Amino acid sequence: MNDLVAGGNATLPDGALALRVPGPFDLSVIVTGEAGKVAGDGDFVFYNQPFAPGARLAGDTVTVDPRGLRAGAARVTVVVSPADPGTPLGSLPPPVLTVAGGGGAVLVRFAPPRPGHETVLLLAELYRRGEAWKIRALGQGYADGLAGVARDFGVEVTEEGSETHEGHGHGPDATAEEFAALVNAERSAAGVPSVTVDHRLVSAARAHAADMAAHGRLAAESPDGTSLYHRIAVTGYRCLTVTEHLVSGPRTPAEFVAYCLAGSERALPFRDPAVAHVGVGHAPAPSGDTYWTAVWAAPMTTAGLARLAAEVTALTNAERAAAGLRPLAADPRLAVAAQAHSDDMVARDFYAHTSPEGREPWDRARAAGCPHPGIGENIACGQRSAAEVVRGWMNSPGHRANILKPDFAHIGVGYATGSSAGTYWTQLFGT
């Protein structure tokens, strides 16, 4: 792997290349000819226009196949900007560009010097030399936003009402704020607190909508295994509660909200007092459909996690009481072990009682200092509330047997969000 410095270059292999910049950023590329100008607005690949011949944007990755670029293309410039427009890049984690070949191995990495007040950075350019393609690290900053960069490359930019002006036409901020206003009108009528737009959730929602549009499918997980919840985690937002809407068809925020409110299940987040933040994104597909992602979340807090664990314990004890059994006492050592397992499943993208290195529930309990001679464990993933997860366990014979086992006297609960399923729950029981 080549680690480039500004001005450095490297030769690239034939075939498609995956250019990735993870984090709270928008990634764009501009295709130009020998003169450094676009042939038309279609050469600007960005959130609202994720396709061009030989280039496809999906989330935090642009795939470029130099062989498929339009006739006369000689350069592809890689541009990064904050997902929250107007935010100085210097206030965000430094962007890092990696370029991978067809086999997935990283060929080139470029970490530019930390930007200051700039709001856009030209990270690198792919350029043709004879029949070969090379990459040059740039690190050139702009203070006047994505529109200024686009103009310099010959893209026609309209300041109001255009799909290619800075802020992505309708605008990520405008779309999210309009969506939040419609949501809060509904929440006001229901007597629940308003929600606020979180730029990290907007970034994740927009990346996921773009990926769904690129593949023409509604799914919480991309074909490459990246889920919406991975995208949220990358932004740094830690969820206590999270739910989402994945929809195709509506053209405006108002149409999207109307569709959601028309279904009883879809309407639930609009009136859920636990929701504190929202993010929304949309992207056009080659078919002409528009794909939407909306994320509803509350941030993880120590107190919130404790309340959720206590709710799971209370619901579990209600089931035991209905069966004439004694309640389980909360054991902080079991809770430590249970929480560690939920965290581990999220961190290492697995779902099992046995950890990748072979540790079992009783091993984890022993490591946490639990003295109980008998140990049992329930796990679950994907459920969005304490009531839903306990109901699911009670509907499963093996999990129900643990909850209603007379010998068990103690319980610890763990819960974490992220990975593929979004939520990961652990109950650890001790005699």
Side-chain angles (χ1 to χ4, degrees), residues 204-406:
R206 291 171 57 207
H208 195 72
D211 187 87
M212 290 194 300
H215 293 98
R217 62 194 288 267
L218 290 172
E221 187 171 319
S222 303
D224 67 0
T226 302
S227 75
L228 170 61
Y229 320 110
H230 288 125
R231 302 185 201 282
I232 293 171
V234 164
T235 70
Y237 189 105
R238 291 191 65 219
C239 302
L240 176 67
T241 61
V242 61
T243 192
E244 69 286 329
H245 286 117
L246 307 176
V247 174
S248 67
R251 295 164 297 174
T252 66
E255 289 182 9
F256 178 48
V257 168
Y259 170 78
C260 293
L261 290 175
S264 57
E265 289 292 323
R266 295 192 300 267
L268 290 176
F270 286 79
R271 307 178 186 109
D272 183 354
V275 174
H277 298 128
V278 294
V280 67
H282 67 290
S287 64
D289 285 340
T290 300
Y291 282 74
W292 293 81
T293 299
V295 180
W296 312 75
M300 178 69 76
T301 64
T302 301
L305 181 59
R307 285 195 302 271
L308 195 60
E311 187 178 355
V312 170
T313 299
L315 290 168
T316 299
N317 279 333
E319 297 292 347
R320 288 178 65 87
L325 299 171
R326 61 178 174 172
L328 302 172
D331 184 319
R333 294 162 297 188
L334 287 172
V336 167
Q339 185 61 45
H341 190 54
S342 287
D343 289 338
D344 192 30
M345 288 191 289
V346 167
R348 295 199 281 175
D349 272 341
F350 76 96
Y351 175 66
H353 292 287
T354 305
S355 70
E357 63 273 10
R359 287 166 59 86
E360 302 289 354
W362 41 90
D363 298 321
R364 295 188 286 272
R366 189 182 309 113
C370 298
H372 312 293
I375 293 292
E377 185 179 76
N378 285 344
I379 59 174
C381 66
Q383 296 81 6
R384 303 311 172 88
S385 69
E388 185 182 353
V389 73
V390 172
R391 183 168 60 249
W393 280 327
M394 289 299 293
N395 289 334
S396 167
H399 298 99
R400 178 187 178 93
N402 272 339
I403 288 175
L404 300 183
K405 186 172 182 177

Side-chain angles (χ1 to χ4, degrees), residues 162-182:
S162 166
E163 288 195 351
T164 56
H165 78 273
E166 184 182 0
H168 310 320
H170 191 288
D173 277 356
T175 298
E177 293 299 338
E178 181 179 346
F179 175 76
L182 293 165

Side-chain angles (χ1 to χ4, degrees), residues 166-216:
E166 184 182 0
H168 310 320
H170 191 288
D173 277 356
T175 298
E177 293 299 338
E178 181 179 346
F179 175 76
L182 293 165
V183 169
N184 284 332
E186 183 69 21
R187 292 175 74 85
S188 178
V192 296
S194 296
V195 294
T196 57
V197 173
D198 187 284
H199 71 88
R200 295 164 295 182
L201 298 180
V202 172
S203 175
R206 291 171 57 207
H208 195 72
D211 187 87
M212 290 194 300
H215 293 98

